[in-house]
């Protein structure tokens, strides 16, 4: 994809992941901006806009983003998928 293009993801895995990230964020009473800041502090270069696109299943989640998400939430990869 070229910069600025939106790719709508279609797999169940990717859609479930985006929804689970949103659910985990809301369970911890965090805004997208607050979660993005926590991720940035853990070394993950992510903006609230990017986080929004992930939650809406409009952006693929990179491996480094997954790792940072699991660390910030204090959960395993399996738990990230099972919420």
């Amino acid at each position: 994809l070229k910069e600025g293009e939106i790719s709508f993801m279609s797999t169940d895995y990717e859609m479930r992941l985006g929804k689970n990230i949103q659910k985990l964020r809301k369970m911890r009473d965090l805004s997208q901006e607050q979660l993005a800041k926590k991720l940035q502090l853990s070394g993950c270069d992510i903006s609230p806009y990017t986080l929004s696109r992930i939650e809406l299943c409009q952006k693929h989640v990179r491996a480094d983003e997954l790792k940072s998400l699991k660390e910030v939430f204090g959960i395993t990869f399996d738990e990230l998928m099972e919420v």
Side-chain angles (χ1 to χ4, degrees):
L1 290 177
K2 295 178 185 173
E3 186 174 334
E5 289 183 337
I6 295 176
S7 169
F8 291 93
M9 299 185 289
S10 60
T11 67
D12 289 339
Y13 167 83
E14 291 165 327
M15 288 191 298
R16 187 173 64 234
L17 180 58
K19 297 296 179 194
N20 286 351
I21 291 168
Q22 182 181 59
K23 187 174 183 178
L24 285 161
R25 177 179 61 77
K26 288 182 176 183
M27 286 171 56
R28 286 160 175 78
D29 200 29
L30 295 171
S31 68
Q32 289 174 338
E33 186 173 316
Q34 290 168 322
L35 178 55
K37 184 59 109 179
K38 286 180 177 282
L39 291 165
Q40 291 165 1
L41 290 172
S42 75
C44 181
D45 185 22
I46 193 167
S47 70
Y49 174 73
T50 300
L51 192 55
S52 173
R53 290 185 59 217
I54 290 170
E55 290 182 0
L56 294 171
C57 307
Q58 296 175 348
K59 181 196 177 298
H60 296 280
V61 184
R62 299 185 329 242
D64 65 311
E65 293 167 340
L66 279 174
K67 182 176 182 266
S68 292
L69 282 161
K70 92 170 183 65
E71 290 171 358
V72 166
F73 287 136
I75 59 175
T76 65
F77 286 114
D78 288 340
E79 291 170 321
L80 188 58
M81 293 305 302
E82 294 174 0
V83 174

